[in-house]
Amino acid sequence: MEEVSKFKVASSALDAELARLDPDHDRPREVIATKGLNLKFSDKTVLSGVNMNFERGTITALIGPTGSGKSTFLRTINRMNDRVAGFRHEGDVLLDGESIWGDQQDLLTIRRRVGMLFQRPNPFPMSIRDNVVAGVKAHGIARGKQLDVVAEMRLTEVGLWDAVKDRLGDSPYRLSGGQQQLLCLARALAVGPEVLLLDEPTSALDPISTEAVERMLRAMTPALTLIVVTHNLGQARRISDQTMFFFNGQLVEHGATSQVFQNPREIDTERYVQGLMG
Amino acid sequence: MSMTESLSHGTSWRRVKSVIFRAFTLLALVFVLGPAIWLIVGVVVKAVPHWSWGVLTHVPSGNGGGLENAILGTLVIMVGVLIIAGTTGVLAGVFLSEFTGVNRKGRERGTILRTGIDVLAGFPSIVLGYVGYVALVVGLHWGFSLLAALIILSLMVVPYITKATETALRQVPTSYREGAEALGMRTGYGLRKVVLRTALPGIVTGLLIAESITVGETAPLLYTAGVTNNLPNWHLVHHPIGYLTYYVWTDWNQPLASLHYISYDASLILLVMVLSLLIVSRLVVARSQRHSEAAR
């Protein structure tokens, strides 16, 4: 008995010590939070009244029919909508407790901290190596020989290194679609983001590539926080901790993924996750 | 008539139409290529038998001599136009494509600028030449000069460069821009490293057209550059400058065989210049596009 209690004391001390060592320990648990967020294009409201917390190190799936406002929501978080004509927002999005539209915020820094992966792989027209380090170079994070190290590290991280190590100077468009998407993932990871936004990252990929990307995504937590728009309900169930269901410009329901899929509170959610509504 | 007969009739008529259409496209090709080939062969056949390399190293004298002054003059003018019109045209194209944006009603801005550029492209070159003569040669007392020629020629070709640049930039996929934006690249940085690189073939084509026009232009140069048998001398104003097209035109109108040869020589050199320009620009494009989607 004494042994066990001793162990318990030691373990709680260890937990406390580990918590202290966590670089994020004095930051808010919610890396992203939205407060009464309304999004409009000109006079048309595309999303209204979204209050949502995204906890550090979790994966959130955004599901809902086409036109439900989930992609608009996603693109608002790294301010990709700011330059779209007629875009307006009410309410706020907080990154580590600070408004992303605040006067002190630097847009380029936000984009570095909140990365994005798109629906279709979009490598730049430069060599494979240059693609990986494009963001690193732009932010002046590394230069010269360091860039080669960054390229190798990130390509290894996404499991692409062995496939491309002998043709780093080649065009990225000779890679398969899945490999291109992993390359884009490596490029996004290279600038050291805290949050990664993914807009249907596997919808243009075949099942095997999809599995590879999903495996990567799961391996990236808890170091990263992921927010994933997906039309693939199976994918949402497989990879996410929590799920948000959007419908007709409203956040209809959100909660733990198992609850949303097995025990939906709203009838629309139930119809959607059962495949009765497209 | 049975069903099958009417069907086979339809098929054979379709074949006839197809043959006629093909014949017309071929005919159009002959109309386009024929004169060009005839011209090139004509110049080569007339110029090569009398060719002497001395043409490259002598200035005109008496009823013969060479074309050194005109070759160098044309090269200087080409480089000058590339610098003035190239920079202005590419920057204007970037502005029209990237920085005009849309107004509050969601309509594209910059329509007046685009119209202005189209109007400029529509001016007859002789009119621009005369404007240059009145405003620069006489008005500013520059005399026949390199600078007057460069400004007027640049005005002439800048619309082509602007248009080509704008069109090429607009064809760059949105996904490249979004990718650059999402990585937190500055607008200018993403433009330089990602967008302009993709648009380069279109921009180079615009520059190529501009340079070809420059090489072949005569009328506005008569009004602005004047002409001289001396070599170019780096003075921007108060010194006329020679160029090849002048000798093509003038020497052909002389009643002497020796001058006719010079006229053909000048034509041949112009052809070689345009051809080299074409090859160099294709090489530049090929090198810059080795990682492009098209080159896959």
Side-chain angles (χ1 to χ4, degrees), chain A residues 75 78 80 83 85 108 111 114-116 118 122-127 134-135 137-139 169-174 180 187-188 191, chain B residues 98 102-104 106 175-187 189 193-194 197-198 288-296:
Chain A
R75 295 167 64 93
N78 67 344
M80 289 291 278
R83 285 214 315 182
L108 305 181
R111 298 247 171 90
V114 184
M116 193 163 204
F118 295 85
N122 60 345
F124 297 141
M126 46 181 83
S127 73
K137 265 196 206 163
H139 289 280
D170 265 19
S171 162
Y173 303 104
R174 295 203 187 98
Q180 288 186 30
R187 182 178 70 189
V191 295
Chain B
E98 308 296 314
V102 291
N103 65 16
R104 266 188 226 144
S175 65
Y176 289 4
R177 292 168 206 273
E178 285 194 329
E181 221 179 310
L183 273 179
M185 288 185 185
R186 256 167 237 292
T187 314
Y189 186 92
K193 299 285 172 176
V194 179
R197 186 196 288 244
T198 316
S288 76
Q289 298 300 302
R290 66 197 189 284
H291 293 134
S292 78
E293 251 169 297
R296 167 158 45 162

Side-chain angles (χ1 to χ4, degrees), chain B residues 218-241:
Chain B
T218 324
L221 286 176
L222 289 173
Y223 273 123
T224 52
V227 79
T228 172
N229 286 344
N230 299 326
L231 294 178
N233 59 9
W234 306 116
H235 287 281
L236 285 176
V237 292
H238 302 306
H239 291 261
I241 186 166

Side-chain angles (χ1 to χ4, degrees), chain B residues 76-91:
Chain B
V76 167
I77 290 171
M78 280 168 72
V79 171
V81 168
L82 190 64
I83 293 169
I84 298 178
T87 338
T88 323
V90 170
L91 287 179

